[in-house]
Amino acid sequence: MTPDTADSVTPVITQIPNAAVVQRLNKRLGRRKGWKPFYQRLLQHGERLRSELSALYGDLDDFDAIVERLLTTAFECWSERPEVLRQRDAEREAQPDWFQSNTLLGGVCYVDLYAGDLKGLEARIPELQELGLSYLHLMPPYLCPEPHNDGGYAVSSYRDVKRSLGTMADLQRLAERLREAGISLVLDFVFNHTSDEHEWAQAARAGDPECSGYYYLFPDRTLPDQYERTVREIFPDEHPGAFSQLADGRWVWTTFHSYQWDLNYGNPEVFRAMAGEMLRIANLGVEFLRMDAVAFVWKRLGTPCENLPEAHHLLRAYNALARIAAPSLLFKSEAIVHPDDVVSYISPEECQVSYNPLQMALLWNSLATREVNMLQLALEERHALPPGTAWVNYVRSHDDIGWTFADEDAARLGINGFDHRQFLNRFFVNRFEGSFARGVPFQDNPATGDCRISGTAASLCGFEQVDVHAAARLLLLYGVALSSGGIPLIYLGDELAQTNDYAYVHEDGKAEDSRWVHRPRYDAEAGARRHDPSTPQGRVYAGLRHLIALRRHLPVLAGGQLTPFWTHNRAVLGYVRGDVGSGHAPERLLVLANFSEDEQHIAAGVLSALPGQATDLIAATGHRLAQGLTLQPYQMMWLALPQR
Ligand code: GLC
Ligand code: GLC
């Protein structure tokens, strides 16, 4: 990836179809500071950018002018990019697979709920380090309407922070402190919509023609009715369908809440303006941008308006722009959709990393059923990713848990997807005899039978009642996230087994949304007990820290390559990490996880192809595999297999 030298520039340029645009830019901006490296990257990635844009806007008469305006915006952002980030760019370019490391570990939190404000969070960096974090996702801190803002996902300005959190300068300083502490900052790019208080939305509401073209506004129900024949409802509790009516009678596209107006990317100016916002966010020192709601960003009549090919062109165009103007910026895809669609967003040219909602949902499924069949199948068939990409493996997020497994996969195991989802919903909202889970329904839709689950990991694992297995369940789920490859992500609070916070029902702007039940304020008293192993918090904290510390010293857990290991025991998940001959010690790690409250045995025959001796690194015990293996209730083993 060495930049072209000046001498090699000329031959390349003649191959670029937009040579005229590049030359015009060169002429206009060529003397500006920072132009040279920008220009070199443009030569490397400009063609890709142009071809993605051409798939979206190539039919427009002024296409070249569109590209030129976009690149001008990108250059402005590049010229503002701080020197220290340019150095970081060079480092990351020299080691593009840095995020595959077994030392990368993520955490996520709301600034206000976890630490009060940005300064408060800065003060808690040592605690983040104590846990071993090297990646921190802050839920959107941007300016947003009060009190209704979907937890910050209704952005009124991408250039200001919520006043209650502090100032942009505070965010900047926090970013620097995190960088110094070896923690990569992760922020959202909420680019499917803005809030209805964004200046563009306000101007559109007032009738400004230019800004009206930024959104999907309709004079009457004619088109909305046609679209609604094929689009699904995301937040049916708040408004049916996908549109909301304005005071003047017009209708606006609102996939999520009525105060979240979908942006119209059919308009190239929207792409340009949002690209500028994206690159400015990158200039704060963000290393992963969480690409919010990627599935929804392009609409076409007669389709579900999800996962359209244009959504991919759009992301790849953003990706190419990032390579040019903020090279160390990586994208994390948030696509909580069918597993085939989830992977469609993952590639080095699109989103380098992605949430793994399938693994997340199936972890919970296995806890409920005490059977690992669906999870094992997912590891077998849906875990492998292209080189240069990685999963973000998580146990739960700030959002609900949706049962996004593929019905086809379930059917192969004799499971009816619809019925099974009904069972899972009953199980996790404690309408199933004997369930340990205390979840709350989210967007229960009687019309479709659809429902999702809210609840903290601890409450779903059984911490709300006296249940001897609750801690082991929580550690089991995190143990899989920590050992199955990619970037593990901890929802902060889970390390202290924080349970549901039912008080959200009294808070304005939160009461109607049950996801707030699993977004509790940081519990300082629980935090104070984290080093006391006689408390439940202390046990979970110590258990998690132990796994994290082990992982840090196991290069075999880097990357995402994994081989499923069928244990021939319905309740025990198995997989092997690492290759023979990788040169690392241990060469291979066999992970076994018992998803039931009963002791489980793995027959010797199943283990016969493995070396005779193995050490479980978690319990630090040696095992003779010729005798088979016994796992205690919810026990996990990380068995180091010596080279034979
Ligand atoms: C994403 C967020 C979710 C939000 C939605 C709309 O899915 O994770 O919290 O409600 O986008 O922005
Ligand atoms: C996301 C998902 C949807 C999820 C919602 C937030 O974009 O696509 O399934 O439930 O937004 O809750």
Side-chain angles (χ1 to χ4, degrees), residues 232 235 256 293 296 334 336 399-400 442 452 515:
R232 81 183 158 117
F235 288 161
F256 298 96
F296 300 91
E334 190 249 348
I336 315 302
D399 278 332
D400 45 290
F442 178 68
R452 284 111 77 186
R515 288 175 298 172

Side-chain angles (χ1 to χ4, degrees), residues 402-407 410 415-427 449-451:
W403 309 112
T404 55
F405 57 81
D407 281 11
I415 297 167
N416 173 300
F418 182 85
D419 295 345
H420 192 60
R421 287 188 184 88
Q422 305 294 313
F423 155 72
L424 289 168
N425 285 330
R426 284 203 310 279
F427 185 92
D450 194 25
C451 175

Side-chain angles (χ1 to χ4, degrees), residues 38-82:
F38 183 89
Y39 181 65
Q40 284 169 339
R41 291 195 168 105
L42 183 55
L43 294 178
Q44 281 177 46
H45 306 286
E47 174 46 23
R48 189 161 72 84
L49 173 65
R50 184 186 166 93
S51 95
E52 300 299 346
L53 290 173
S54 147
L56 300 172
Y57 310 119
D59 290 346
L60 301 176
D61 291 340
D62 58 343
F63 180 60
D64 276 349
I66 291 168
V67 176
E68 192 174 335
R69 277 202 304 276
L70 174 67
L71 286 170
T72 307
T73 298
F75 178 68
E76 296 302 335
C77 296
W78 166 253
S79 8
E80 294 161 17
R81 191 160 173 83

Side-chain angles (χ1 to χ4, degrees), residues 340-360:
D340 290 342
D341 294 316
V342 173
V343 293
S344 72
Y345 293 94
I346 311 173
S347 80
E349 289 75 36
E350 199 164 330
C351 295
Q352 297 88 349
V353 306
S354 165
Y355 284 97
N356 189 352
L358 181 63
Q359 174 165 309
M360 185 275 290

Side-chain angles (χ1 to χ4, degrees), residues 150 257 442-443 504 509-517 519:
D150 193 20
H257 294 96
F442 178 68
Q443 305 291 333
Y504 76 95
K510 298 186 175 176
E512 310 79 21
D513 186 339
S514 76
R515 288 175 298 172
W516 288 103
V517 87
R519 302 167 180 173

